[in-house]
Amino acid sequence: MKFLSLILVSALTLSSMAFGCSEDGSGGIIEENSLRIPVGMKLNGGITETQFNKVIDDVEKIYSPVVARMGGKMDVARLWKDETVNANATRLGKTWHINMYGGLARHPSITMDGFYLVLCHELGHHIGGAPKVGNFLMKWASNEGQADYFATLKCLRNVFLHDDNQKIVNKLKVPDALASACAKTHPGATDQAICIRGGMAGASVAGFFAAARKENEAQFDKPDAKVVSRTNDAHPATQCRLDTYFQGALCEKAFTEDVSQSDEVQGTCHGSTGYTVGIRPLCWFKPSK
């Protein structure tokens, strides 16, 4: 009995220790890669260290109390000097870790809004809701697609709420497909601008995926036609991920309406409640209702 108890305690301890931002716990917002961008490398794009810290400051200010109410302690590691071109989320007991690497922040495709989205995605693994991934001992993490969806559905809207969003959007080169879709689903000027910012943040991150995977750029007007037979918990294809960011931005549900950690419908746009726009794309998501 003592031996069996020891095994059970060890298993439970290990189950809470770490979950990287991937199905098997080994990766990040993208698959593990050999890309490295050191401090000082001259690139046309990326963000500064000041912007890197502001992104983290802004998200921590809003979401540290949320994580605390959910029983955790939010810990964002500011790894500016680290060359790693990725980001990931782990847990150790009640400490909910997020690792943000300078290598990714310096990638040419990453804008400041794109970096907000990356942090929101990693936070989404902790609080983004169902569908979850893992086994019965370790099933705290929202899967990759859900973390993507949460990023634009809830987190970015909350973070961008008090910005001069129209002024920011006026400086962007916004694709017609994004602008028209946001205007159709969000009548208010502020909501439209936040929708556009969410979509453009998604385009930034999808641009990084395409470059890292050596793929063609994803497009707002060319959604992934794939329909999965079961929910894909791993990293979706680049176009599918842009589609997810886009739909999260388009969803009419308020960011103040919380998602559920067990119910895929609550707080989301879902086909079972009559929504056809703002729903999770079927290229990774198989509705259970």
Side-chain angles (χ1 to χ4, degrees):
M1 287 295 292
K2 288 184 179 179
F3 178 68
L4 290 175
S5 296
L6 180 60
I7 291 176
L8 180 59
V9 170
S10 297
L12 290 171
T13 300
L14 288 170
S15 73
S16 68
M17 284 181 63
F19 183 93
C21 180
S22 67
E23 186 175 14
D24 64 4
S26 64
I29 193 168
I30 193 172
E31 303 84 7
E32 285 193 62
N33 61 77
S34 59
L35 295 174
R36 295 293 181 269
I37 304 179
V39 175
M41 180 177 282
K42 300 298 182 182
L43 297 171
N44 183 24
I47 64 175
T48 67
E49 184 176 4
T50 298
Q51 291 172 320
F52 173 91
N53 284 312
K54 177 172 170 40
V55 167
I56 297 172
D57 287 343
D58 289 348
V59 176
E60 281 186 327
K61 181 179 180 180
I62 294 170
Y63 279 102
S64 288
V66 175
V67 169
R69 287 196 297 271
M70 295 176 70
K73 177 183 177 183
M74 184 176 176
D75 177 62
V76 182
R78 303 177 184 229
L79 305 172
W80 173 254
K81 294 182 179 179
D82 195 303
E83 303 175 357
T84 303
V85 185
N86 220 323
N88 54 49
T90 63
R91 282 193 185 184
L92 182 59
K94 292 186 177 182
T95 303
W96 300 4
H97 297 283
I98 296 172
N99 296 310
M100 299 297 288
Y101 299 100
L104 176 59
R106 291 184 285 273
H107 191 277
S109 295
I110 296 297
T111 63
M112 195 169 175
D113 280 358
F115 204 63
Y116 275 116
L117 187 150
V118 171
L119 181 47
C120 283
H121 169 98
E122 298 308 330
L123 176 64
H125 279 296
H126 290 293
I127 68 172
K132 299 291 190 76
V133 63
N135 56 43
F136 76 100
L137 288 175
M138 186 179 74
K139 202 166 186 177
W140 59 264
S142 299
N143 72 6
E144 295 295 336
Q146 183 62 21
D148 282 340
Y149 188 57
F150 171 83
T152 52
L153 176 72
K154 305 295 183 184
C155 184
L156 287 186
R157 294 182 188 188
N158 200 357
V159 172
F160 293 162
L161 183 62
H162 299 295
D163 291 346
D164 188 342
N165 290 288
Q166 290 172 280
K167 181 178 180 180
I168 292 169
V169 165
N170 287 340
K171 297 178 181 179
L172 302 176
K173 186 177 181 180
V174 180
D176 290 342
L178 173 61
S180 61
C182 287
K184 187 174 181 180
T185 59
H186 297 290
T190 297
D191 287 341
Q192 280 183 37
I194 291 175
C195 174
I196 289 170
R197 280 186 75 183
M200 293 301 289
S204 163
V205 178
F208 159 62
F209 296 151
R213 293 168 167 173
K214 296 180 172 58
E215 297 174 349
N216 293 328
E217 290 278 344
Q219 305 291 330
F220 287 106
D221 58 353
K222 296 180 180 179
D224 192 324
K226 181 179 180 179
V227 177
V228 295
S229 58
R230 61 183 296 271
T231 293
N232 173 22
D233 291 323
H235 297 103
T238 298
Q239 180 65 55
C240 185
R241 297 189 78 172
L242 179 63
D243 298 344
T244 303
Y245 300 136
F246 191 14
Q247 293 304 311
L250 291 175
C251 180
E252 298 174 73
K253 288 280 187 175
F255 76 84
T256 53
E257 187 174 343
D258 290 338
V259 294
S260 167
Q261 302 307 306
S262 58
D263 178 7
E264 69 186 42
V265 177
Q266 182 177 316
T268 75
C269 290
H270 197 277
S272 68
T273 52
Y275 285 96
T276 57
V277 176
I279 62 176
R280 302 168 180 90
L282 301 180
C283 50
W284 71 267
F285 181 64
K286 175 69 174 178
S288 64
K289 300 181 181 183

